[in-house]
Amino acid sequence: MTTGGNFYNRLGVKRIINAASWITVYGGSIMPPAVVQAMDDASHWFVDMHELNEKAGNIIATLTGAEAGLVTAGSAAGMVLEAAATMAGNDPAKIWQLPDTSNMKNEIILHRAHRVNYDHSFRAAGAMLVEIGNASTTQEWELENAINENTAAVAYIFGPRRGGAIPLRRTVEIAHQHDIPVIVDAAAMLPPLENLSRFIEEGADLVSFSGGKGVMGPQSTGILAGRADLIEAAYANGAPNSVSVGRAAKVCKEEIAGLITALEIFVDTDFEAVNANWRAKCVYVVDELKEIPGLRVELEEARPDHLEGGSNFAKAVIHFDQDWNGPNIEDINQMLFDGDPGVRVGLSDIGDALAVYPVALQPGEEEILAARLKEVLTTGR
Ligand SMILES: *Cc1c(COP(=O)(O)O)cnc(C)c1O
């Protein structure tokens, strides 16, 4: 069962059972003990941060198959650095000038179907977003047509949905014909393990991942991998350089130790066993809830080939029938959250069903979760 909690108890902060996946607002992930130990170990010495960043970057390069790598302060920070690197490069004057982009290439082309909250990170560096396509389709000529002398990069975001975007490989081919780099946000695309090298292999120039989601490193870390010159530029646009947009997203030596250790554990993980364990938790929840009248509780299998965030693992989805006469989704969520421990579940894509994500559940928590869900779903009936 769960240990720890003394600090939270002292502050009066209650525990949350997280069936909503590795999302930021509930604390990212729970780091394996070896990660916490590596952070402790790294906390006793001073080191030269340039040397540490370079050696850590080399490990990222090896594990991703990229030319170079960098530990970032999360995927969003990685996106700020991607934008800064492709606009200002290594030029100290331009780096200093950002986020003011006058007299610089500052346009980042983005599929409209890829718009997510996090594309703000590109704008935070000063970039202007240029949209192509519509919500469900994009034509190659639209990408060709959007490229001009102000184009700094083409961005590609693997977010909650794909919406008929031009495939990454083809996007890369077109961009590269014009010498434009392709920068990728794949924050929540790990696992599956193959994705760690997949987007680099498909030709992306920079790829950003979260370190505190499926990699289970410190929540405030991320991974940037890609072309050596662009990684060098990304580093120049961040800490320890104190006149850069990335300076506000500093990574400490302990976080570097934690992220690298987490990544090494991640690439060594038997995901067949992990997926079976996650799926079993979903099956348990389905079995516990399926008799409640008015609900359709289903196991949704993993679809890692979909390349959409959240489709990489099995889920238990609770659909509400026409004749459902219990509490509505909002009230259910409130009741779940108000308990102690609080319970958080996810929502289906369009918000009409509840989704139980197994990945952040700690051992045995599926039982508390299912019991609490049953209680709430049968309230007043
Ligand atoms: C979580 C997420 C981010 C932000 O990643 P952090 O590591 O939390 O900074 C960016 N893009 C997408 C699609 C995400 O899911």
Side-chain angles (χ1 to χ4, degrees):
M1 198 73 260
T2 307
T3 58
N6 292 331
F7 174 73
Y8 299 126
N9 284 335
R10 181 157 70 80
L11 269 62
V13 174
K14 82 175 172 190
R15 177 180 151 210
I16 302 251
I17 290 179
N18 178 7
S21 177
W22 301 292
I23 63 177
T24 295
V25 68
Y26 309 125
S29 51
I30 300 284
M31 296 181 277
V35 172
V36 180
Q37 213 176 328
M39 295 178 78
D40 179 335
D41 182 71
S43 72
H44 299 273
W45 289 13
F46 289 103
V47 291
D48 180 289
M49 291 303 284
H50 293 303
E51 186 188 1
L52 177 59
N53 270 300
E54 187 186 332
K55 300 265 159 75
N58 289 343
I59 293 176
I60 292 175
T62 304
L63 296 180
T64 57
E67 284 176 13
L70 179 66
V71 180
T72 65
S75 202
M79 293 164 79
V80 173
L81 296 180
E82 285 181 336
T86 51
M87 293 188 298
N90 249 328
D91 181 332
K94 287 182 176 164
I95 291 171
W96 170 83
Q97 192 188 301
L98 289 182
D100 170 359
T101 59
S102 15
N103 307 319
M104 263 183 245
K105 295 180 183 204
N106 70 343
E107 293 182 11
I108 293 186
I109 300 171
L110 182 69
H111 286 80
R112 184 168 280 118
H114 280 179
R115 292 300 307 260
V116 290
N117 293 346
Y118 300 102
D119 59 39
H120 184 277
S121 296
F122 297 137
R123 291 199 296 117
M128 208 185 85
L129 299 183
V130 176
E131 292 184 352
I132 53 169
N134 60 38
S136 57
T137 50
T138 310
Q139 308 300 326
E140 291 187 0
W141 62 258
E142 295 180 271
L143 174 54
E144 292 274 4
N145 186 52
I147 293 173
N148 66 58
E149 68 282 358
N150 285 323
T151 305
V154 175
Y156 206 92
I157 296 182
F158 289 100
R161 46 190 74 86
R162 215 155 39 131
I166 303 167
L168 176 61
R169 230 183 249 284
R170 192 62 197 128
T171 301
V172 165
E173 277 171 12
I174 296 169
H176 284 183
Q177 278 162 15
H178 300 268
D179 272 332
I180 307 287
V182 174
I183 57 180
V184 172
D185 172 34
M189 299 307 289
L190 300 174
L193 182 55
E194 304 78 64
N195 284 352
L196 191 58
S197 50
R198 175 179 187 148
F199 311 124
I200 293 291
E201 210 178 278
E202 293 186 0
D205 297 275
L206 284 174
V207 181
S208 179
F209 297 102
S210 290
K213 292 180 180 168
V215 176
M216 300 210 286
Q219 185 185 8
S220 49
T221 60
I223 298 161
L224 193 63
R227 245 167 60 191
D229 61 324
L230 287 175
I231 289 288
E232 200 184 319
Y235 187 57
N237 278 277
N241 180 6
S242 52
V243 284
S244 67
V245 286
R247 175 59 177 82
K250 178 164 72 176
V251 186
C252 71
K253 57 192 184 304
E254 295 82 1
E255 290 171 316
I256 293 174
L259 183 273
I260 293 297
T261 305
L263 188 57
E264 287 171 336
I265 294 172
F266 179 79
V267 298
D268 236 9
T269 299
D270 173 3
F271 278 104
E272 218 166 292
V274 170
N275 277 311
N277 178 270
W278 287 340
R279 189 179 182 282
K281 289 181 179 180
C282 295
V283 170
Y284 175 82
V285 171
V286 170
D287 283 345
E288 288 296 302
L289 303 179
K290 69 180 177 203
E291 304 297 341
I292 300 175
L295 297 179
R296 191 163 43 86
V297 188
E298 287 175 343
L299 175 74
E300 201 175 291
E301 298 287 356
R303 293 166 305 174
D305 53 313
H306 273 219
L307 287 178
E308 291 171 3
S311 64
N312 305 338
F313 40 78
K315 309 179 246 219
V317 184
I318 304 168
H319 299 277
F320 298 86
D321 290 342
Q322 292 292 342
D323 60 353
W324 171 252
N325 59 359
N328 65 25
I329 284 187
E330 211 167 276
D331 292 340
I332 292 167
N333 274 328
Q334 194 61 51
M335 284 187 272
L336 290 173
F337 188 62
D338 286 345
D340 189 2
V343 168
R344 275 306 199 205
V345 297
L347 281 180
S348 64
D349 275 356
I350 54 169
D352 62 340
L354 294 171
V356 170
Y357 294 83
V359 297
L361 288 175
Q362 300 305 296
E365 283 187 343
E366 69 277 15
E367 291 172 27
I368 309 173
L369 165 79
R372 184 71 187 130
L373 269 168
K374 203 180 220 172
E375 192 175 35
V376 165
L377 289 167
T378 53
T379 290
R381 307 172 73 231

